[in-house]
Amino acid sequence: MAGMVWSHVGLNCTDQKTTEEFYTRYFGFTRARVVDLGEAQIVFLRRGDAYLELFAAGTEPAGQSLGVPPALAGGDGPQAPGRMRHLAFQTDSVDAFLAELGDAAEVTLGPLDFDDFICGWRTVWVRDPDGVIVEVSQGFEDDRSHDKDGA
């Protein structure tokens, strides 16, 4: 597609500062911009070409205003159509990442090894401060058989 590049993921945050600290401390993001809206602000975090856009949100869980009972996603994230399942990041070591997270880690699934698919592929899923599931993997590689030239 001409002129099309990835932009960002927007996250609704109960506490923007807490969410910003989580992604800057454990995922290496830095503050790129703050848009002042008067009574609110939008915080943009950047890591390389990846951006997170943090919006202030109420404390009411998703769907509550529609009479849907609150429920935190578990496992590798919500499986309902129209909902983001999870954010995903790559690391050199899932175990080192979990050690760094320490008590801040709320593991929802794993760590799991996927050596049957790719030797050394290992993944864990954790919950961010707002309940978003975040996948952290090591060792994933593309299947080159899908390249146009077959190499």
Side-chain angles (χ1 to χ4, degrees):
M1 233 179 233
M4 184 66 64
V5 296
W6 176 258
S7 181
H8 65 270
V9 172
L11 298 174
N12 292 319
C13 310
T14 302
D15 180 335
Q16 283 173 300
K17 183 178 181 195
T18 299
T19 301
E20 180 177 1
E21 288 172 357
F22 180 80
Y23 286 101
T24 56
R25 180 173 181 188
Y26 300 115
F27 293 91
F29 281 84
T30 58
R31 184 179 274 201
R33 175 176 298 275
V34 175
V35 177
D36 188 357
L37 303 174
E39 294 183 25
Q41 64 181 14
I42 302 171
V43 178
F44 286 86
L45 303 180
R46 178 181 187 168
R47 179 158 192 234
D49 291 336
Y51 285 88
L52 297 176
E53 183 179 18
L54 308 182
F55 292 89
T59 57
E60 188 173 275
Q64 190 68 24
S65 62
L66 302 174
V68 178
L72 285 176
D76 69 345
Q79 298 181 20
R83 293 212 38 217
M84 179 184 71
R85 192 163 182 137
H86 56 252
L87 296 176
F89 296 91
Q90 292 286 318
T91 186
D92 293 333
S93 170
V94 166
D95 294 329
F97 170 78
L98 287 173
E100 184 179 337
L101 230 59
D103 293 339
E106 184 182 345
V107 174
T108 62
L109 183 62
L112 300 176
D113 294 314
F114 297 109
D115 287 321
D116 289 347
F117 305 102
I118 299 171
C119 185
W121 185 11
R122 183 169 168 79
T123 304
V124 66
W125 291 264
V126 299
R127 190 182 323 275
D128 86 355
D130 297 296
V132 173
I133 301 300
V134 181
E135 174 185 340
V136 178
S137 293
Q138 70 184 48
F140 177 85
E141 297 174 358
D142 288 349
D143 177 352
R144 295 293 190 196
S145 69
H146 298 286
D147 290 349
K148 287 183 181 179
D149 61 7

